[in-house]
Amino acid sequence: QVQLVESGGGLVQAGGSLRLSCAASERTFRLYAMGWFRQAPGKERDFVAGVSWSGGNTDYADSVKGRFTISRDNAKNMVYLQMSSLKSEDTAVYYCAAARTVGDRPVVDARSFNYWGQGTQVTVSS
């Protein structure tokens, strides 16, 4: 069982930056691909970014490419989402998720993730 706890959300002005963090409880954290998803009010949960177990391969939603960066520190059981040039449409609850995988590649399908955090709110004011 992997427990995930997100932090770092908050209120920021458009154009600003935030860094989200996700702490994982599992000592085999390095075996999981990790992802960030977000859900705005009245909308479905959408993929934002994913990173392979090694950290060497990443994938992003088109809407965040060039603005967001996902990274991980396997020694600390942490995954991060650096968000820059934030827009009002980035406002959502952001979730961290873990997926057991075979192969060093990111996972983008929410159905493939086995564990989810409780979410952290990001609000971008225009």
Side-chain angles (χ1 to χ4, degrees):
Q1 185 79 13
V2 179
Q3 294 183 328
L4 303 171
V5 179
E6 302 97 334
S7 61
L11 175 64
V12 63
Q13 288 188 332
S17 299
L18 276 177
R19 189 176 82 153
L20 304 183
S21 299
C22 174
S25 63
E26 177 59 45
R27 62 183 177 87
T28 58
F29 168 76
R30 69 185 185 281
L31 300 180
Y32 291 82
M34 299 297 296
W36 287 96
F37 290 75
R38 66 186 181 187
Q39 188 168 20
K43 295 187 177 182
E44 295 185 351
R45 189 173 298 188
D46 292 330
F47 169 78
V48 175
V51 62
S52 63
W53 67 264
S54 73
N57 297 292
T58 58
D59 199 358
Y60 297 92
D62 288 342
S63 59
V64 307
K65 281 181 180 177
R67 300 189 298 123
F68 290 11
T69 302
I70 188 171
S71 61
R72 65 189 296 164
D73 185 338
N74 287 341
K76 297 181 178 179
N77 285 9
M78 296 290 295
V79 63
Y80 306 99
L81 186 68
Q82 178 67 48
M83 305 186 294
S84 303
S85 302
L86 283 162
K87 306 174 182 180
S88 58
E89 50 263 45
D90 295 318
T91 295
V93 177
Y94 283 71
Y95 297 90
C96 173
R100 291 188 293 266
T101 60
V102 176
D104 190 28
R105 58 185 180 274
V107 177
V108 304
D109 188 341
R111 297 169 297 180
S112 298
F113 284 84
N114 308 101
Y115 305 101
W116 294 82
Q118 82 290 346
T120 185
Q121 176 71 46
V122 172
T123 303
V124 183
S125 63
S126 57

